[in-house]
């Protein structure tokens, strides 16, 4: 091996004669053992830690014994073999870093022979550390960004809720005034038909606003016994809007009355998530069916992770799209797995988490090219489980209470003057004695001087609360019938179960019948 | 390319133009946080889109921006956990460039999806280095110029970089320094 070859393989080599005088050194040697020069005496620069280093080196020369040379001055230790040569010895040494850290060291790659595994070790280790550092930074960024998104979403959803509420009030005014017009135009068939169109369009708009209010207004963690068929039935207009214009939403609900203890918003979100997935699987349109049916599940049912014996309700979203391949199907519930360019893959995973949290499960039945069915199996809530019932009775829009018309005195409170005006006229025409107030304060003044049979008040009043007014009025007069109205469905525990509730936009006929039935 | 490149680009825009400008680049290029995982690889098309959107939004010529990004990458690496790798690559300009291939080759063993460049010092003289750059990618010559400018800065040298020839396989640069 000539000097050039030696310098490549052992860039820190040192050649000495039989008296340990330095004959030549590799290019890296002086960087490691500072001050090392040809012509000097080896043991002026390094020591091997033996009583007689000269004898020791001679004794190990040609053996496979690794010798460590510590610098006497500044520098790094080197390790290697002592190889006998014609003129003396070659110290075939290389640097021996003490640790796998590069920080602060003055070493560089070319201080090591090509292929020296130490270089690999050092770089891998350092690279790994760098990646972990970057990963840590990313984790922090992700959590900050998630917090930001959540704040934004909650603000946005509150604003959407307020807007939907106000919008619903306007629809209510349109509807009430349609009723007024219809009373005046009882003879004119054509105009009555036009009024009907306006009224039913307002009703469709208000079905969508109500879904928006439900989604934006209720907390995800409020669990109620939710009648699934009713929830889906009431939100069909909204769900159809979410599915888009190219898709027909067909509803086949066969679990009437069955309830699931869940957050209505959470359930609705699940259905919306699944609808959006289904819609995306059908770029050129098609049909999505939402189906429910009861199912008795037993512990031997291994096809789905629901272990308990008991009654379940199955909620299926069936699309007529392209279906999923086996690989996609196998990974579909993984968080962050998505086949969409812009997807974040959280849809199906979060739906399954939701179902699991309720003691149910979710699964996908799909065949490539013949559509996908996502199935949620949810435990049916039985009355003995939890008394968190909605004690408050919602008489809804289609109440059919019957009763003889009686001279009833009604105090109507609504901060929307147009709505109030319409209510006064319509209730007056139905034979009630109506007093109108645009604020809770004015109503309190009326209640202080007169007696009423019914208090009909909006729940949300400008800077005031209809519920507070109702409480005050009921405490003064226990015989007073309280009828609250709102676009929101109240779920407040503080509401008195004796009170009744009508939803805006108000169906005049149903309202009149409710008042008569009180 | 590995996400570490995306992170560096983002840092450059954030440092120089602030969060709003970056958000608008991110929106236009249709990328999100998940495109900034250092150890993940992304199709070059995503990197390209980020670069071209950045130069559009910043109103800068794309070559100029690539050069600026190259120069920034050295500063970015110096300030991050990559600093010790830079130091290990070489303690002076000539050693550094001569050792670049060894550094990239070694790292390739952990970053198995990388398509590493190749640099060789063709000649060096006092105040001048002639370097050949080879790559499986095209269009990165301005980025390499910027990287060399960043290295001059790193070694406290005044100098300039010129691209003296370029074809589909290799580019030759001359680095002059005082
Ligand atoms: C800490 C230091 C460095 C690390 C960890 C590093 C790592 C990498 C990695 C992983 C890639 C591959 C990208 C991919 O294909 O996904 C890459 C590419 C590249 N690196 Fe480095 N690098 C470093 C420093 C440098 C320096 C100082 C230069 C030049 C002066 C350089 C020039 C390049 C170039 C030009 C590419 C583009 C690849 C191509 O031409 O196709 N790198 N580097």
């Amino acid at each position: 091996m000539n000097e050039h070859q030696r310098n490549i393989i052992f860039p820190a080599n040192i050649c000495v004669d039989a008296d340990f005088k330095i004959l030549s050194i590799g290019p890296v040697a002086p960087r490691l053992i500072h001050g090392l020069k040809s012509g000097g005496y080896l043991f002026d620069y390094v020591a091997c830690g033996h009583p007689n280093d000269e004898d020791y080196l001679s004794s190990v020369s040609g053996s496979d014994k690794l010798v460590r040379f510590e610098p006497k001055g500044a520098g790094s230790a080197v390790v290697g073999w002592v190889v006998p040569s014609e003129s003396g010895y070659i110290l075939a040494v290389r640097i021996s870093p003490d640790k796998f850290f590069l920080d602060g060291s003055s070493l560089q790659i070319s201080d090591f022979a090509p292929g020296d595994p130490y270089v690999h070790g050092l770089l891998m280790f350092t690279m790994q550390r760098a990646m972990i550092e970057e990963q840590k930074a990313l984790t922090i960024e992700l959590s900050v960004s998630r917090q930001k998104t959540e704040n934004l979403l909650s603000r946005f959803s509150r604003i959407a809720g307020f807007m939907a509420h106000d919008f619903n009030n306007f629809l209510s005014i349109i509807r009430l005034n349609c009723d007024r017009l219809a009373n005046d135009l009882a003879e004119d068939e054509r105009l009555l038909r036009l009024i009907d169109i306006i009224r039913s369009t307002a009703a469709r708009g208000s079905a969508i606003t109500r879904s928006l209010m439900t989604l934006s207004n209720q907390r995800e963690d409020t669990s109620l016994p939710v009648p699934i068929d009713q929830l889906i039935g009431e939100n069909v207009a909204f769900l159809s809007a979410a599915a888009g214009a190219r898709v027909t939403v067909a509803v086949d609900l066969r679990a009437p009355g069955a309830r699931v203890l869940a957050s209505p918003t959470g359930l609705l979100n699940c259905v919306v998530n699944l609808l959006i997935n289904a819609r995306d699987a059908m770029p050129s349109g098609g049909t999505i069916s939402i189906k429910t049916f009861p199912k008795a599940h037993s512990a031997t049912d291994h096809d789905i992770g629901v272990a308990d014996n008991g009654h379940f309700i199955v909620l299926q979203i069936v699309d007529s799209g392209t279906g999923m391949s086996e690989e996609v199907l196998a990974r579909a519930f993984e968080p962050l797995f998505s086949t969409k360019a812009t997807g974040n893959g959280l849809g199906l995973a979060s739906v399954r988490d939701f179902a699991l949290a309720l003691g149910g499960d979710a699964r996908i039945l799909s065949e490539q090219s013949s559509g996908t069915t996502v199935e949620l199996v949810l435990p049916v809530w039985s009355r003995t489980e939890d008394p968190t019932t909605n004690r408050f009775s919602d008489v809804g829009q289609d109440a059919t209470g019957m009763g003889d018309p009686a001279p009833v005195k009604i105090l109507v409170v609504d901060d929307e003057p147009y709505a109030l005006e319409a209510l006064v006229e319509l209730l007056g025409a139905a034979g009630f004695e109506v007093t109108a107030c645009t604020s809770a304060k004015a109503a309190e003044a009326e209640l202080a001087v007169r007696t009423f049979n019914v208090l009909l008040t909006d729940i949300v009043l400008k800077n005031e609360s209809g519920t507070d007014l109702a409480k005050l009025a009921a405490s003064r007069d226990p015989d007073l019938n309280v009828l609250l109205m709102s676009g929101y469905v109240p779920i407040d525990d503080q509401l008195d179960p004796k009170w009744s509730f009508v939803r805006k936009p108000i169906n005049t006929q149903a309202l009149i019948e409710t008042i008569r039935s009180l | 390319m590995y996400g570490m490149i995306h992170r560096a680009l983002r840092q450059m825009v954030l440092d120089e133009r602030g969060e709003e400008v970056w958000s608008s680049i991110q929106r236009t290029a249709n990328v999100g946080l998940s495109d900034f995982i250092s150890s993940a690889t992304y199709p070059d098309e995503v990197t390209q889109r980020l670069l071209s959107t950045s130069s559009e939004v910043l109103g800068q010529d794309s070559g100029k921006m690539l050069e600026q990004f190259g120069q920034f990458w050295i500063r970015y690496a110096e300030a991050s956990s990559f600093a010790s790798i830079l130091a290990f690559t070489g303690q002076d300009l000539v050693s550094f460039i001569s050792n670049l291939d060894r550094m990239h080759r070694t790292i390739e063993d952990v970053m198995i999806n990388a398509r590493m460049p190749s640099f060789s010092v063709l000649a060096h003289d006092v105040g001048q280095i002639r370097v050949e750059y080879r790559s499986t990618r095209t269009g990165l010559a301005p980025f390499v110029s910027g990287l060399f400018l960043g290295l001059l800065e790193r070694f406290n040298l005044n100098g300039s970089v010129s691209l003296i020839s370029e074809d589909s396989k290799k580019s030759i640069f001359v680095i002059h320094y005082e």
Side-chain angles (χ1 to χ4, degrees), chain B residues 143-170:
Chain B
F143 177 58
V144 174
S145 287
L147 285 164
F148 290 151
L149 288 171
L151 288 179
L152 286 172
E153 206 174 278
R154 173 175 170 81
F155 293 112
N156 287 319
L157 299 167
N158 281 326
S160 61
V161 176
S162 21
L163 172 64
I164 56 165
S165 77
E166 187 177 19
D167 61 39
S168 60
K169 290 209 175 80
K170 60 179 192 292

Side-chain angles (χ1 to χ4, degrees), chain A residues 102-103 106-110 112-113 120 123-124 126-127 130-131 133-135 137-138 141-142 148, chain B residues 4 7 10 19 33 36-39 76 81-82 84-85 88 90-91 95 99 102-103 106 109-111:
Chain A
L102 285 172
D103 310 331
S106 59
L107 297 175
Q108 61 181 35
I109 290 188
S110 39
F112 295 82
H120 260 75
L123 276 177
M124 311 268 123
T126 312
M127 208 52 205
M131 288 297 163
E133 285 306 313
E134 299 229 321
Q135 226 76 309
L138 184 71
E141 273 168 40
L142 274 172
K148 267 192 196 162
Chain B
M4 56 192 251
R7 287 184 76 77
R10 184 183 65 158
E19 211 160 315
L33 265 187
F36 293 87
I37 302 170
S38 292
S39 53
Y76 172 81
S81 333
F82 295 118
S84 49
I85 296 183
F88 190 53
Q91 314 256 330
S95 315
N99 290 340
R102 234 177 120 182
M103 182 268 284
T106 313
D109 289 349
V110 252
M111 308 185 80

